[in-house]
Amino acid sequence: MDVKIGLECHAQLLTQSKLFCSCSTDYHNAEPNTHVCATCLGLPGALPVVNERAIRYGIKVALALGCTIQPRVIFYRKNYYYPDLPRGFQITQYEFPIAFNGLVRVESDGEKEREIRIKRVHMEEDPGRLVYRGTIDTATYSLVDYNRSGIPLVEIVTEPDLKSPKEARIFLGKLRSILEYLSVFDGDLEGAMRVDANISLKGGERAEVKNISSYKGVEKALSFEITRQKNLLRRGLTVQQETRHYDETRGVTLSLRTKEFEHDYRYFPEPDLVPIRISNRIEEIRREIPELPDEKKLRFIAQYSLTMEHANALTFDRHIADFYESVASKIYPKLSATWIADVLKGELNYRAISMREASKRILPDDFVAILRYLKKGVITERGATAIIREMLDHGGKPEEILTRKGLARIGSEVIEEAIQAVIEENEAAVKDYQAGKSEALNFLVGQVVKHTEGTADPKEVRRRLEEKMKA
Ligand code: ZN
Ligand code: MN
């Protein structure tokens, strides 16, 4: 089945203040309508002032997506009325957006990487938020909260290059990853990314599903739409061009209105804002762009000999990438990759916590210690996993958990191996001891204990050493 999907992704930018006023953007968990002023409430006569940092962030995003930045940016009024937009128009960009023509590479499953073209990147203000009592089609009334009104959004519009709902989800994940690398976006914040999805099947008109606010929601809404449109076409009916709403709790899309056309919005330049010339800032902003996931992935493969799969898993989230590099720069890059990409990530997913959160409990040095115990045979793989789990659930340090939970491989073998290694490495001390210098024994005991990362009992080590060196 020939499916074409295009996305319009609205991402909230992490500025301190709103796009056209100085109200704080820190509205999550705030009482409704407490982060507002005349400008973001849209009261008559209030004048907008552009937030410079928001524009810089928008340019940063466009550059990271490989877009061509436009020399001049002009804000427009998009006219429509909705209770979350009391002034009757949204300030957005139209003919002169920040940028055109970018590219995002997605690791589409089973296939090799695919390139999704970005049509344009522009900036606009977020409207307020309607809170329905019940669902959108059953609520008898709704409430409105203007705290979100005026939050800077960057809108990223793709060409209809996506081929499946799953690929759409993978694309959004990649986009999120890139935006988070830039430190301009936090995907964990509720509603930080909202998506309008256009979808058409061969032989039908396209339908637009508006305002999907979760990554999983996008995949589900699109799957629902494919089935709905397929059934219409199969029965010889037409798919109408229309705007639909996705009901997250029921997993269905519902018709909101027949699609409006661009000319219905009567776009015109916002007379209260001057055109912005950005060409002289581009190079400066380009220098602020860090190494992005695609480059990092290639470097990890080259530098640490990782598989593509591990490199993907380790670079997707920049906090995991940073964690991996801190560990791998100290010990065993390949073993670290396996234990972070496969084990640690699995434990994080299971607990639904992010690496950023987990890094308050488990430091790179802790992980280094765990892998060292493992490599030296002090603990088994099961023991290592148990330590990781304990640290994530209750905190604590590897050494202490190892002792408290009795995870050390009990073993005379381990001590035996350590004694053998120490004897071979310290011939001089062994000779000293055999020549009657008893302090040499203390030194050797110390070396063996150190070799087992402090897990061997010094008394037992002393007894065994004496026995061995007599022979
Ligand atoms: Zn305000
Ligand atoms: Mn928009």
Side-chain angles (χ1 to χ4, degrees), residues 299-311:
R299 180 170 63 79
F300 276 14
I301 292 171
Q303 189 173 341
Y304 302 114
S305 315
L306 300 188
T307 60
M308 178 63 91
E309 207 183 352
H310 275 163

Side-chain angles (χ1 to χ4, degrees), residues 129-148:
R129 197 168 65 91
L130 288 181
V131 183
Y132 300 100
R133 296 285 124 164
T135 64
I136 193 169
D137 60 329
T138 61
T140 51
Y141 68 97
S142 54
L143 302 167
V144 62
D145 176 7
Y146 293 110
N147 281 350
R148 202 179 75 182

Side-chain angles (χ1 to χ4, degrees), residues 106-112 114 164 166-167 169-170:
V106 293
E107 293 78 26
S108 204
D109 61 331
E111 284 182 71
K112 34 178 216 234
R114 291 222 314 124
S164 70
K166 187 167 187 192
E167 193 171 69
R169 179 173 55 77
I170 296 171

